[in-house]
Amino acid sequence: MSSGAIVVVGAGQAGGWAATTLRERGHEGRIVLLGDEPHAPYERPPLSKAVLGGQAVPESTELFSAERLAALRIEFLPAVAATRLRVADKQVETSDGAAIAYDKLILCMGGRPVVPALPGVDGPGVHVLRTRGDALRLRASLGPGKRLVVVGGGWIGLEVAATARQSGSAVTVLEQGSRLCARSVQPGVSAHLAALHAAHGVDLRLNAGLRAVLTQADGRPVAELADGTRLGADAIVLGVGLRANDELAREAGIACERGVLVDEYCRTSAPDVYAAGDVAVLAAADGHARMESWQNAQDQGMAAALSALDQGQPYAPTGAVWSEQYDAMVQIVGFPGLACSEVLRPQAGDRALLSVALDAGGRAVAGVSVDAARDFRQLRKWIAQRAALDPALLKRSDVPLASAQIG
């Protein structure tokens, strides 16, 4: 049994699962969980959906209550942030003036929304969405007769747009690129998402960049686009990306590259220091990857805990992501950056979609399902196996999906 002190920095999804896994897998020593928010660990996906829409209270997002953490003998310190990592001395300095000694350290600091350096973005009515407080502040600006401008056509932006439309708000989405979610899905999926939002009345503007945010006489914001167009709004939401909170690690001399670099055992470049979740960048043969998803935060948090207990196995992320928009369930798996082509398999009705991404050798590397859960289960198996597929058979809805596998 492990008996040393283990400190987990960050009490989000990854940190919460790391701390509880440590105890549940036999660690008998001290476990300290530092969280810079005043809440116990909670899930973030509902913030852009049920919480933002008013169908759920913020407390319903809680992963592990303070009582549960106490029962596991985890020293949970809410609203206490790490301020310095002294890896040579194996200590963590905190915002309340303490210095906590550790034998093992797990970094789960997460990330924060990117705020572009543009005039007026720090003015009234401009929002980001990352925390429970963010969701409640934005929710007050939604409803019938309200106007919302969403900057960024990625997952967070589209989820906010869908929730806002369902609340009765008029919504405009500005995407600087030529298609939606370009970094994470293939063109066919982007077109499907664009059609979905257009059908629900969203004013979608592609190749449209934000130049500045102005303020009206009544204090409400105005989005000024790169072409000079001005859009008045009750609120503007910035959904243009997430920046890893790796500053403490950098200052401590831990290797970072847009996040804390880790190997397949979640180990950093510093002895006895691990990292997981949105802050971690997995170094792999085909490039470095930082995965921003609920599933990865949970799985990698648990993997880091097991590695800290010398029970680790190589962590192999699946790339699994899901998104709810209106009444559509979008499921994603795999790594679209490895794809060279996309095959769309016809589905019953216009609402459903199955997109299969293949690499140069015709092997399945990524896929997206919209309301096609049965086919998605087969696709997940293929991607895990890197199965070679026949594109011609994939396109034929009159033959069983499983028959598209070669060999």
Side-chain angles (χ1 to χ4, degrees), residues 46-47 50-62 132 136 139:
L47 300 183
V51 174
L52 182 60
Q55 293 84 35
V57 296
E59 291 75 17
S60 66
T61 64
E62 196 171 77
R132 283 164 43 168
L136 294 178
R139 188 168 79 183

Side-chain angles (χ1 to χ4, degrees), residues 47-55 129 138-150 156-173 197 200-203 234-237 324-326:
L47 300 183
S48 59
K49 297 180 274 288
V51 174
L52 182 60
Q55 293 84 35
L129 182 54
L138 178 57
R139 188 168 79 183
S141 298
L142 303 183
K146 301 290 188 178
R147 295 175 297 169
L148 178 70
V149 172
V150 178
I156 189 68
L158 295 183
E159 289 178 357
V160 168
T163 301
R165 281 298 297 136
Q166 290 173 305
S167 76
S169 303
V171 178
T172 299
V173 173
H197 283 268
H200 284 84
V202 172
D203 179 6
D234 293 279
I236 295 173
V237 179
E324 289 178 298
Q325 299 174 31
Y326 309 104

Side-chain angles (χ1 to χ4, degrees), residues 93-364:
E93 295 183 3
T94 63
S95 57
D96 62 357
I100 304 174
Y102 68 82
D103 293 283
K104 301 285 181 71
L105 176 65
I106 304 178
L107 304 178
C108 302
M109 290 95 71
R112 62 190 182 278
V114 172
V115 177
L118 298 173
V121 293
D122 57 349
V126 182
H127 299 259
V128 295
L129 182 54
R130 178 67 175 174
T131 68
R132 283 164 43 168
D134 292 338
L136 294 178
R137 283 186 289 272
L138 178 57
R139 188 168 79 183
S141 298
L142 303 183
K146 301 290 188 178
R147 295 175 297 169
L148 178 70
V149 172
V150 178
V151 182
W155 297 114
I156 189 68
L158 295 183
E159 289 178 357
V160 168
T163 301
R165 281 298 297 136
Q166 290 173 305
S167 76
S169 303
V171 178
T172 299
V173 173
L174 308 177
E175 169 51 48
Q176 191 168 12
S178 60
R179 61 185 180 90
L180 300 175
C181 301
R183 291 182 298 175
S184 54
V185 299
Q186 301 303 303
V189 181
S190 297
H192 190 88
L193 293 172
L196 173 67
H197 283 268
H200 284 84
V202 172
D203 179 6
L204 175 60
R205 305 192 184 192
L206 300 176
N207 301 302
L210 182 70
R211 181 165 67 190
V213 176
L214 311 177
T215 302
Q216 302 178 73
D218 61 5
R220 290 183 297 174
V222 176
E224 183 176 78
L225 279 59
D227 64 2
T229 301
R230 292 183 176 181
L231 302 173
D234 293 279
I236 295 173
V237 179
L238 304 175
V240 294
L242 193 74
R243 178 171 290 118
N245 292 330
D246 63 0
E247 288 82 1
L248 291 181
R250 288 179 180 275
E251 292 168 4
I254 298 172
C256 295
E257 187 175 323
R258 291 179 296 178
V260 181
L261 287 172
V262 298
D263 65 10
E264 68 272 27
Y265 290 93
C266 305
R267 296 175 297 204
T268 73
S269 63
D272 298 319
V273 180
Y274 306 80
D278 290 348
V279 78
V281 177
L282 179 61
D286 50 9
H288 298 166
R290 185 168 66 85
M291 287 150 283
E292 301 167 7
S293 74
W294 173 93
Q295 192 68 58
N296 180 70
Q298 174 179 305
D299 294 348
Q300 197 172 29
M302 296 171 70
L306 294 177
S307 290
L309 297 177
D310 297 322
Q311 300 175 23
Q313 299 291 328
Y315 176 61
T318 64
V321 181
W322 60 271
S323 176
E324 289 178 298
Q325 299 174 31
Y326 309 104
D327 56 352
M329 171 59 76
V330 183
Q331 295 174 283
I332 306 165
V333 68
F335 303 93
L338 304 177
C340 294
S341 63
E342 177 188 27
V343 179
L344 297 175
R345 182 174 174 84
Q347 300 289 308
D350 296 333
R351 288 165 40 101
L353 170 135
L354 189 74
S355 166
V356 184
L358 306 176
D359 67 9
R363 296 182 296 271

